[in-house]
Amino acid sequence: MSKKVLYEGPDLSYHNGTVDIKRIRDAGYRRVGLRAGYGKNNVDQKYVTNALACFNLGVAVLLYWFSYAYTVAMAATEAGYTVAQAKKYWKKCPIAFDFEYDSVNNARKHGVNATKRLVTDMAIAFLRTVRDAGYIPVIYTNKDYLKNYFDMSRIVAELGQVYVWYARYTSSLSSVELEDADIWQYTSSGRVPGVSGKVDMNKFYMDFGEQIPVEQKPVCNINILNFQKAANKDGYRDVDGKKLIEDGIDGPKTQYVRRQIFLKAKLLLFVGSTGALVKWHQTRCNEILGHKQVVDSKFGKTARNETLEVQKKLGLERDGIAGYDTLQAEFYN
């Protein structure tokens, strides 16, 4: 049997650090896995930042919750936590139950043996909660778990359609594995633009249909608002020759202005760019890095070095120039 790979994408959590969802999208990756959280309502520290970026940039998601449940009730509650995070941005998207070896060890520490029956019951409780909330149930698993922990025939009998996210780090899957897999996590050593270091990568054989975003009014982002004020003060104008509307929204006109901006030093050592935007950029560098460079509106050697540090931290191209991508990253980090 052969299946067509519809697209690929990474899955991300706090452990991947600061990522650039726009660069991931622009590299051709259509869907991103996001850890919504783990255990007793511990929201992943990067979830809101990554989810908001996916929402704003139109990137499809696959959400998952790392389970530390050791009772059926706990698993259902974890599903509720996940749905609550999903509802901030999407009315419909796939949500996966992620129960792994650390989950088994945690159960043992609480005096519970994670038998196949119990883990299957917990999976059913989690996925039923997800399904009943209008989301698409997915189970994250591997060869060992399909054999020893998940009774898929009973899960399907209870719930109907459940999609399988199958983890196996190999060059290919057997025909039996491929038949079962709707998503194949094929490596933990992938490389993707916008992500520093290694990242889990997935092949998607299922597109999951339309992802329905929550209708939201645009929210004023203070970083963008202050950028707009600084750009207006420095004399930048939009495509119509007008000042930017100071609304804190990164719309087409703000993006147009941002494409005109290249804050940099002169000959790497001396002051080059000056003005309100340099002051804004210096302030953001200090906030992102926790540093205390003098905010003097002058882009010289220190500002260049701080820009390089910000670009390194945010996984950007390190050129020491605050241009379109660097400025955008400073909006959201």
Side-chain angles (χ1 to χ4, degrees):
M1 177 183 178
S2 62
K3 276 186 177 179
K4 181 180 179 181
V5 177
L6 301 180
Y7 48 84
E8 295 192 27
D11 59 270
L12 307 166
S13 72
Y14 167 77
H15 301 293
N16 297 105
T18 299
V19 303
D20 187 333
I21 298 295
K22 182 178 183 297
R23 289 185 68 198
I24 295 171
R25 183 200 67 180
D26 292 349
Y29 298 105
R30 290 172 44 189
R31 188 180 296 272
V32 172
L34 297 179
R35 186 177 75 163
Y38 57 95
K40 190 176 180 179
N41 208 18
N42 299 296
V43 178
D44 184 274
Q45 297 93 321
K46 290 292 184 181
Y47 172 73
V48 171
T49 298
N50 291 339
L52 182 58
C54 288
F55 177 85
N56 288 335
L57 294 167
V59 177
V61 298
L62 164 62
L63 305 185
Y64 68 96
W65 194 272
F66 191 98
S67 177
Y68 282 110
Y70 47 87
T71 70
V72 171
M74 289 174 69
T77 300
E78 287 181 339
Y81 298 146
T82 320
V83 168
Q85 295 306 316
K87 281 185 175 179
K88 293 178 179 178
Y89 308 102
W90 299 282
K91 296 179 182 178
K92 180 182 178 182
C93 67
I95 293 178
F97 178 61
D98 183 7
F99 190 91
E100 302 186 33
Y101 301 107
D102 279 351
S103 314
V104 172
N105 289 334
N106 181 67
R108 289 173 178 168
K109 291 175 183 177
H110 288 85
V112 176
N113 183 25
T115 64
K116 186 172 186 176
R117 181 175 184 82
L118 173 59
V119 176
T120 297
D121 286 342
M122 291 194 297
I124 291 170
F126 183 101
L127 297 172
R128 179 182 285 118
T129 303
V130 165
R131 183 201 63 186
D132 291 350
Y135 294 87
I136 302 169
V138 178
I139 189 164
Y140 179 82
T141 188
N142 58 27
K143 187 175 182 179
D144 178 47
Y145 269 64
L146 285 177
K147 178 181 178 182
N148 296 310
Y149 290 101
F150 293 130
D151 184 341
M152 286 304 300
S153 61
R154 189 156 68 86
I155 291 172
V156 172
E158 289 271 356
L159 301 174
Q161 180 67 68
V162 172
Y163 296 96
V164 174
W165 183 4
Y166 187 75
R168 188 178 181 192
Y169 303 154
T170 183
S171 59
S172 63
L173 296 180
S174 69
S175 59
V176 173
E177 290 172 314
L178 191 56
E179 184 176 358
D180 290 336
D182 298 295
I183 309 161
W184 173 25
Q185 187 183 80
Y186 64 90
T187 183
S188 60
S189 302
R191 296 285 182 175
V192 171
V195 182
S196 297
K198 298 176 181 178
V199 63
D200 294 346
M201 289 296 297
N202 306 278
K203 296 180 186 288
F204 290 85
Y205 304 106
M206 170 63 60
D207 66 6
F208 296 105
E210 182 183 4
Q211 180 165 295
I212 304 175
V214 174
E215 294 180 7
Q216 292 185 343
K217 292 182 179 180
V219 177
C220 175
N221 180 316
I222 298 299
N223 295 329
I224 298 173
L225 176 63
N226 290 337
F227 169 87
Q228 291 165 332
K229 290 179 178 179
N232 285 337
K233 187 173 183 179
D234 281 349
Y236 286 93
R237 298 295 180 261
D238 67 22
V239 67
D240 298 319
K242 298 179 180 179
K243 288 185 176 182
L244 290 174
I245 296 173
E246 296 174 0
D247 58 4
I249 299 169
D250 189 24
K253 293 183 177 180
T254 297
Q255 294 168 19
Y256 173 85
V257 167
R258 197 163 75 247
R259 290 189 184 93
Q260 319 307 315
I261 298 171
F262 300 92
L263 307 178
K264 58 185 178 179
K266 186 177 181 180
L267 300 177
L268 307 184
L269 296 173
F270 305 106
V271 173
S273 303
T274 60
L277 278 170
V278 173
K279 183 177 181 180
W280 176 88
H281 171 64
Q282 290 174 317
T283 300
R284 291 299 296 129
C285 285
N286 284 345
E287 291 168 347
I288 292 168
L289 297 172
H291 291 179
K292 295 181 179 180
Q293 71 166 305
V294 176
V295 178
D296 58 5
S297 306
K298 298 177 182 179
F299 200 115
K301 182 179 179 180
T302 298
R304 180 179 185 275
N305 289 338
E306 294 294 285
T307 301
L308 288 167
E309 285 299 309
V310 165
Q311 290 171 333
K312 179 180 179 181
K313 182 172 182 177
L314 301 184
L316 302 168
E317 179 182 355
R318 299 184 68 213
D319 59 7
I321 300 171
Y324 187 89
D325 289 337
T326 299
L327 297 171
Q328 177 183 257
E330 290 174 344
F331 287 172
Y332 298 106
N333 291 282

